[in-house]
Amino acid sequence: MKILMVCLGNICRSPLAHGIMQALIDKEGLDWQVDSAGTGDWHVGQAPDRRSIATAKSYGLDISTQQAQWFQPNMFDRFDKILMMDRQNYRDVIKQAKTDEQREKVTLFLPEGEVPDPYFDDTMFEPVYDMIAAQARVLLKTWQSEKQEDKA
């Protein structure tokens, strides 16, 4: 399975989600891949925000080698699941989908809400990490169950 995490600039939320989910996948020994992107192109090629790097590091994760990339329509074909951190980014990506199959790949990371953007509030990085980590565990279990059902 190939999973894409998407936020606005690909420097705060989606790199954290990328790192957290990849660590969970690796721990389970799954041959799945995770990447991240942003709907805006301002930070393309840059490392994640220093506060995201520091927060991840405090939990034993190194996301410092990630590089921001801009969401491109060809990503619909490269990924099985495209998870959006908020509704505006969801709308921006859905507008680029050309088929129902592409639209079906796109969902909100949090089914009942949004992951708040911590960019303008240093105190939000820790709560955002916790929120993402909790949901990543739920998603991983759900996807593993789906894969088991597919095999049956």
Side-chain angles (χ1 to χ4, degrees), residues 66-115:
Q66 292 182 26
Q67 288 191 336
Q69 59 182 333
W70 190 21
F71 183 87
Q72 299 294 309
N74 69 2
M75 291 178 170
F76 288 113
D77 299 324
R78 292 179 28 218
F79 293 94
D80 303 303
K81 306 224 181 257
I82 301 172
L83 296 149
M84 313 306 298
M85 295 296 135
D86 63 54
R87 287 180 184 88
Q88 183 58 55
N89 289 300
Y90 176 87
R91 287 189 291 271
D92 291 343
V93 167
I94 281 291
K95 279 193 275 188
Q96 297 181 53
K98 302 278 190 257
T99 66
D100 287 342
E101 182 183 357
Q102 289 178 342
R103 281 184 278 282
E104 287 170 11
K105 293 180 178 188
V106 183
T107 60
L108 284 171
F109 183 80
L110 292 175
E112 301 300 321
E114 299 183 312
V115 177

Side-chain angles (χ1 to χ4, degrees), residues 16-36:
L16 283 171
H18 174 173
I20 292 165
M21 185 62 79
Q22 190 65 62
L24 291 171
I25 287 167
D26 292 347
K27 185 177 177 185
E28 291 291 317
L30 300 168
D31 187 25
W32 297 359
Q33 298 173 356
V34 183
D35 206 347
S36 58

Side-chain angles (χ1 to χ4, degrees), residues 12-13 16 20 49 51-52 55-56 59 110 114-133:
C12 294
R13 296 170 288 177
L16 283 171
I20 292 165
D49 185 287
R51 298 164 296 178
S52 284
T55 301
Y59 288 91
L110 292 175
E114 299 183 312
V115 177
D117 190 346
Y119 186 77
F120 295 106
D121 184 351
D122 292 352
T123 67
M124 285 301 296
F125 282 84
E126 191 83 23
V128 162
Y129 181 97
D130 292 340
M131 184 182 298
I132 291 171

